[in-house]
Amino acid sequence: MDYLSDCYWTRSGLKCLFASCRVIRFVVRHVKYFLGLRFQVSGWEHLQTDGPYVIISNHQSSLDVLGMMEILPDRCTMIAKKELVWAGTVGMVCWLGGIVFINRQKTRDAKNVMSDAAKTMLADQIRLWVFPEGTRNQNGGLLPFKKGAFHLAIQAQVPIIPIVFSSYSNFYLRKEKEFKSGTITLKVLPKIETKGLTADDVTTLSEKSFSVMHSAFMEISSQTTQSNGPVFPLSAPTTRMARDHVVGNHANQAL
């Protein structure tokens, strides 16, 4: 099977995965201070859900990893495209964290991974985090969702919990090569049940999820963000080093 984290889908592997996640979470959560970023989280109560579930969130850049580490539930890992493993420091962190990589060019392999993931979710009571847009997007909205996350949730008959990151455009201007401090708002939305749904309901489920997430994105992105420090051009040594670690030139090409 053509993916890189199949070793984690064993009981011993899962123990290693969750141990790695705890260490990486502790380390990565401190990077935000170096970058001058803060996170404001609402809807914590929606993550207090027992058992397995699928988290879906919008995807803007490698900075998303920092937000993930702020709220990552126990027994949770991520599904991502295989190309990300070559994304420098970000790829290494993802690999060490036990992220499940799929080859999107091979539909059969991707479907097999999703099928195995659904079985493992139920057998070992784990949660999976998926970016349904399939690629990063900084165009002020959400890209159409791919269907993999919704097939997975319906196959496993587990709920979907949408999480929305506010726009980064107030502090990260990629084209202008400017990065400044700021506050990112994360909004956890109420779970969407999938019990009783079948493959015929995938499109409807995807559209419903997109609708609630897009509305939340527009709402939280319109709010005024707080500055936590001065503005730096990306050529400044300190900010450039931070960008290379968290945003990353390679990650910008792979995400």
Side-chain angles (χ1 to χ4, degrees):
M1 191 170 293
D2 190 13
Y3 62 104
L4 303 180
S5 293
D6 52 340
C7 60
Y8 283 111
W9 298 111
T10 64
R11 292 192 179 275
S12 60
L14 284 169
K15 291 180 181 179
C16 294
L17 184 158
F18 298 130
S20 297
C21 281
R22 283 191 289 270
V23 173
I24 290 173
R25 181 180 181 182
F26 175 80
V27 173
V28 172
R29 287 185 71 177
H30 289 77
V31 175
K32 65 185 177 186
Y33 300 113
F34 183 61
L35 292 172
L37 296 177
R38 300 294 183 271
F39 290 91
Q40 180 177 317
V41 182
S42 65
W44 275 105
E45 66 276 10
H46 301 307
L47 285 175
Q48 309 309 308
T49 299
D50 294 332
Y53 49 79
V54 175
I55 294 175
I56 58 173
S57 69
N58 56 317
H59 183 28
Q60 298 176 74
S61 84
S62 299
L63 290 172
D64 298 341
V65 175
L66 298 183
M68 288 178 62
M69 294 302 108
E70 289 292 309
I71 61 175
L72 190 71
D74 290 336
R75 304 186 67 78
C76 182
T77 188
M78 190 178 87
I79 291 180
K81 60 186 181 182
K82 184 178 179 180
E83 296 90 331
L84 183 59
V85 76
W86 310 117
T89 305
V90 174
M92 182 182 298
V93 169
C94 291
W95 181 76
L96 290 172
I99 286 178
V100 180
F101 296 97
I102 62 173
N103 188 341
R104 297 187 305 176
Q105 304 304 316
K106 297 185 177 181
T107 303
R108 177 178 296 181
D109 285 348
K111 287 183 177 178
N112 286 340
V113 171
M114 289 298 187
S115 178
D116 289 347
K119 295 174 183 176
T120 304
M121 286 180 72
L122 297 175
D124 295 291
Q125 298 292 291
I126 68 171
R127 295 84 183 252
L128 288 175
W129 190 308
V130 186
F131 296 109
E133 291 172 286
T135 189
R136 61 177 185 166
N137 171 39
Q138 295 177 333
N139 295 324
L142 302 184
L143 295 176
F145 287 173
K146 298 183 182 300
K147 302 295 177 30
F150 308 99
H151 279 291
L152 171 63
I154 287 177
Q155 239 182 328
Q157 292 286 285
V158 299
I160 289 174
I161 298 182
I163 297 178
V164 184
F165 293 72
S166 61
S167 174
Y168 299 164
S169 61
N170 289 318
F171 63 86
Y172 175 37
L173 303 176
R174 185 183 173 207
K175 291 183 179 179
E176 290 78 3
K177 296 184 178 180
E178 181 180 282
F179 186 96
K180 59 184 179 181
S181 64
T183 298
I184 300 171
T185 300
L186 275 67
K187 187 168 186 177
V188 185
L189 303 179
K191 66 182 178 182
I192 301 173
E193 292 288 357
T194 66
K195 287 190 180 300
L197 300 185
T198 68
D200 294 334
D201 300 304
V202 165
T203 298
T204 301
L205 180 62
S206 172
E207 291 174 349
K208 178 180 180 180
S209 301
F210 180 92
S211 178
V212 297
M213 290 179 66
H214 185 267
S215 295
F217 176 82
M218 299 307 291
E219 174 194 347
I220 62 179
S221 297
S222 64
Q223 299 169 359
T224 303
T225 59
Q226 172 186 346
S227 176
N228 302 304
V231 178
F232 293 99
L234 284 180
S235 57
T238 301
T239 308
R240 184 164 188 165
M241 181 166 57
R243 179 199 62 184
D244 288 343
H245 277 284
V246 182
V247 181
N249 289 328
H250 295 297
N252 283 340
Q253 296 172 6
L255 289 180

